Amino acid sequence: MEKKYLGPLALIILFLSCQEASADLTKPRGDASALAVYNQAYQENYEPDSLSLILAEAVDAYVLIDPFDPDSPVSASDISALIAKGNLVSAYMSIGTGEDWRSDFALMEPYLAEEQWGDWEGEYYISSLEPGLVNLMKARIDRAADLGFNWLEFDNMDWIFYEETRSGYSLEATAAEGIAYLQELYDYAHSKGMNCMSKNLRTHAEYYDGVTWESYRRDKNWWDDEDLQAFADEGKPVVIVHYGERSAEGAYNTYSDYMEVYGRSLSFISETRSDRGYIHFND
């Protein structure tokens, strides 16, 4: 889950001469409302939310579930029950790495870097964006659609845009190919009736329906304010997943600080050391 900001967009814009202009930040804030957030898919330090807790508690929330987790299988009836309670139910997908615990890892290996990603054990950056790799990702999207998810959250979207990553791991794909890949997966997801969340990334955001950013106790608001605000001004869901707080009090204070900057439409979830997992916010 790389958290670097993409930086200057000159290179990207070179490949996007037909890209629409960024959101006008002078427009009134959009009509997105703050949502409670539940996250079964990932956690930095402790434990993610369990599927049983989500099924019992989540109402009118943004719910992120890993549909490919062999240790916590989810059924179409689970997803249907969550959607019936007004939830935005999002399927987690890493589209920039291969993970060696996934059932399709052996099929992905020919497209991956040889060296393991230094930050995450068992993960390997995607090196080549060939049709076979794209088809594997589309098969994952098909699985999420068959289960009835109404959203997708794409993780590790920005891996190919960093020169140090491309050179350090000898990746074959270019930034231009990465942009085409992101758009193709987004278009395919929409053709299956699902909206898409961007992750830690504003670039190319006219193709995304919301955003999740990851925040840290010692590294808050590391992104450009205008990038997060643009999603909010467009009326799109904006979620911050925050890590490393010592207590619920610290998490509440951080949420309050973020609302002062971005307004009350912001959706927020935070882990705490005292709770050894996530705590949830309904306002």
Side-chain angles (χ1 to χ4, degrees), residues 63-78:
V63 174
L64 182 64
I65 292 174
D66 185 345
F68 315 108
D69 183 352
D71 297 323
S72 184
V74 63
S75 68
S77 62
D78 293 332

Side-chain angles (χ1 to χ4, degrees), residues 90-190:
S90 190
Y92 170 87
M93 281 181 58
S94 176
I95 61 171
T97 67
E99 303 145 310
D100 65 7
W101 58 91
R102 302 295 187 188
S103 61
D104 59 1
F105 180 74
L107 297 174
M108 289 188 67
E109 276 193 284
Y111 310 105
L112 302 178
E114 293 185 5
E115 182 182 350
Q116 181 178 259
W117 182 9
D119 289 349
W120 296 97
E121 184 178 355
E123 287 200 56
Y124 298 80
Y125 283 120
I126 290 171
S127 177
S128 58
L129 296 172
E130 297 178 26
L133 182 279
V134 175
N135 289 337
L136 287 171
M137 291 298 173
K138 288 182 176 180
R140 291 182 176 184
I141 293 172
D142 289 341
R143 170 63 176 160
D146 289 344
L147 285 168
F149 283 88
N150 52 7
W151 284 73
L152 288 170
E153 184 172 301
F154 289 154
D155 196 11
N156 301 309
M157 296 173 60
D158 53 356
W159 91 109
I160 205 64
F161 299 129
Y162 302 115
E163 175 57 36
E164 62 189 58
T165 301
R166 291 200 305 273
S167 61
Y169 290 87
S170 301
L171 306 185
E172 297 177 12
T174 65
E177 290 171 333
I179 289 168
Y181 169 71
L182 294 183
Q183 184 173 350
E184 183 170 1
L185 293 186
Y186 168 88
D187 289 341
Y188 189 73
H190 262 223

Side-chain angles (χ1 to χ4, degrees), residues 5 21-32 201-203 205-206 208-211 213 223-238 261-262 265:
Y5 173 62
S22 299
D24 180 357
L25 300 184
T26 64
K27 292 180 180 178
R29 183 178 301 279
D31 59 1
L201 189 67
R202 173 66 188 170
T203 301
E206 73 273 20
Y208 288 87
D209 307 297
V211 69
W213 256 292
W223 51 83
D224 280 3
D225 291 356
E226 292 84 358
D227 287 345
L228 189 152
Q229 188 64 61
F231 281 102
D233 287 341
E234 291 161 4
K236 298 175 178 178
V238 175
V261 177
Y262 299 113
S265 65

